Amino acid sequence: MSSVDIVVPCFRYGQFLRDCVESVLAQSGPELRVLIIDDASPDNTVEVAEELARSDPRVDYRRHTSNQGLIATANEGIAWARAEYMLLLSADDYLLPGALARSVALMDDHPSVAFTFGGAVVLDQQGERSRRRTGVGSRTNILSGLDFITLSGAKNIVLSPTVVVRTSLQKRLGGYLADLPYASDMEMWFRLAAHGDVGVIAADQAVYRAHSANMSSEPSREQDLLQRKAAIEHFLTSGAARLTNAADLRAWMNHMLALEAIGCASTAFNEGAIESSAGLSKLAVGIDPSVRRTRRWWFLACKKLLGLRGWQLVRPAVEWFRAILPNEPRGAD
């Protein structure tokens, strides 16, 4: 029987920990082990984790004496894992029924698959649910690593609680990068995809909680773009030997990122954050100077000529006009 090791990093998520671990223990199919790593949480994580470990022999618990951070904690979990497959599952998220069985069945049948991911349900603080789809379609699929990278472009299209990784490959490629605190998972998916196929599960695999604790640690627009730029560069530099089109891929991914930066600059302008908009525009040019020849760049330039007040006056008419042109490329206004 196939086996999965699940690493549950936990810092200040004691209120969610039981739901997370019990969602794992309720999974059918593969043999399971769970390691809860308490990163010196100041809440009730100790009590919840110790009770879970006492009640089920598949659960182990270790506690840090000082906070090590998520990257170091995740890498500690990678070192611990020895099953055929592994999953890093944040303590504030939880699995949906059948998630592990679906991933393991696909990977058992297709040894070339480096990792699988699937759809997710996003649960906000008000209890409202929305779906995060894979972007691949409505059928379970296997993508070549290059197809996955191309589909991703300059974005992270994967939610980590849905990801099951082939442990032997994960250990061979190493852990997450400490200098990419906001984009280490995106770089990891690219790194794994350069060494194998990617399985896409046509089902919701996990619930991802969007709440004040994780949203407060989200990067600014500029930090996010810079981190993704660094992740792309690290991946292409370290994995260039395995990619026959690394130079073309770098140029294309940078162009996509620069276009997104202009979209963020346009949004910032709409919000009246003129200084931020200017900084994001400068960042876009630094990522890819050719962005100055795009329609999105010139649209923002026209808005700047009008000024914020002038743009607010004409914006409804512009949006109406663009809405009746179905082939008009739509970026951020």
Side-chain angles (χ1 to χ4, degrees), residues 29-43:
E31 294 181 354
L32 305 173
R33 288 194 312 154
V34 180
L35 173 64
I36 302 168
I37 307 180
D38 177 1
D39 197 18
S41 297
D43 60 5

Side-chain angles (χ1 to χ4, degrees), residues 138-213:
S138 59
R139 298 178 61 184
T140 293
N141 211 332
I142 295 177
L143 303 177
S144 70
L146 182 57
D147 283 346
F148 169 79
I149 294 166
T150 303
L151 177 68
S152 300
K155 294 185 177 182
N156 181 7
I157 66 171
V158 176
L159 282 180
S160 60
T162 75
V163 176
V164 176
V165 181
R166 200 172 293 275
T167 306
S168 58
L169 179 60
Q170 177 74 82
K171 287 180 175 288
R172 178 155 61 90
L173 298 184
Y176 292 83
L177 302 178
D179 57 348
L180 294 175
Y182 301 122
S184 59
D185 50 354
M186 173 180 164
E187 188 277 334
M188 180 60 76
W189 314 147
F190 286 165
R191 201 190 323 168
L192 289 164
H195 290 78
D197 295 331
V198 178
V200 186
I201 306 296
D204 291 332
Q205 294 284 86
V207 172
Y208 173 84
R209 294 186 195 265
H211 53 87
S212 56

